[in-house]
Amino acid sequence: GESVGLHLPTLSVQEGDNSIINCAYSNSASDYFIWYKQESGKGPQFIIDIRSNMDKRQGQRVTVLLNKTVKHLSLQIAATQPGDSAVYFCAENIGGSYIPTFGRGTSLIVHP
Amino acid sequence: DAGITQSPRHKVTETGTPVTLRCHQTENHRYMYWYRQDPGHGLRLIHYSYGVKDTDKGEVSDGYSVSRSKTEDFLLTLESATSSQTSVYFCAISDQPQHFGDGTRLSIL
């Protein structure tokens, strides 16, 4: 989820667990969604994307689920590793726009 | 990453001074963007460009100007820096999905 304060929501997991990070998007006209990973001191890194004509898309150890009915997006990371520790945030695009709207992110902490 | 270089990576300057940040890409993408990232906020768009000499404002453009004289370079200028412009600045290229540089950490004292 998203936070209105200075502190990001945090998800703490044990190494090897599956992680689920959630994102509520705002615009029902959005038709393209992206998940990014941002490590400390680095720029956001593209993980996976999904278009609104799909409900699910899988990558390497990651799955994105899209529920258009409730405007909800989730990122599932299988067998979470310490290197997955980062801030994850979603972005939404309205059809034809080149300007995405970014969420504030969730901090994932993976304990060895 | 994705052929994007931001310079400088870190800068400390004083209020009232001009500052220019540079973004250089080797991907020949038409679209380039400047964002700022602050605690409590998502990435906020400052300006973007859709071609050489073609630029437009984002949601937080006040106090910033940009120039794109070549496809590969997109410059962000703070004409007279203020403390509220202390932030981390990211350049991005492409459209869907965007790819980001590693940022410039700018402190204005």
Side-chain angles (χ1 to χ4, degrees), chain B residues 38-53:
Chain B
D38 304 287
H41 297 274
L43 288 161
R44 292 185 291 174
L45 182 66
I46 304 171
H47 283 279
Y48 67 100
S49 171
Y50 45 96
V52 173
K53 291 189 170 60

Side-chain angles (χ1 to χ4, degrees), chain B:
Chain B
D1 287 16
I4 307 167
T5 304
Q6 292 187 234
S7 59
R9 292 295 317 278
H10 303 271
K11 186 172 183 66
V12 180
T13 191
E14 294 184 346
T15 300
T17 60
V19 178
T20 295
L21 308 183
R22 180 180 183 239
C23 179
H24 179 79
Q25 61 145 332
T26 58
E27 307 298 316
N28 202 36
H29 275 296
R30 180 180 167 202
Y31 281 82
M32 298 185 75
Y33 309 78
W34 276 108
Y35 291 91
R36 60 179 290 173
Q37 188 177 47
D38 304 287
H41 297 274
L43 288 161
R44 292 185 291 174
L45 182 66
I46 304 171
H47 283 279
Y48 67 100
S49 171
Y50 45 96
V52 173
K53 291 189 170 60
D54 291 324
T55 66
D56 207 348
K57 296 179 179 180
E59 64 175 298
V60 291
S61 60
D62 287 349
Y64 302 95
S65 62
V66 289
S67 66
R68 185 134 178 240
S69 59
K70 299 185 289 185
T71 298
E72 57 265 36
D73 289 325
F74 192 31
L75 303 181
L76 177 70
T77 297
L78 291 65
E79 299 290 348
S80 178
T82 67
S83 59
S84 64
Q85 294 176 310
T86 292
S87 188
V88 181
Y89 291 85
F90 288 101
C91 173
I93 66 172
S94 186
D95 45 21
Q96 295 184 354
Q98 292 183 354
H99 295 277
F100 289 82
D102 277 337
T104 294
R105 185 171 294 274
L106 178 63
S107 297
I108 299 162
L109 308 178

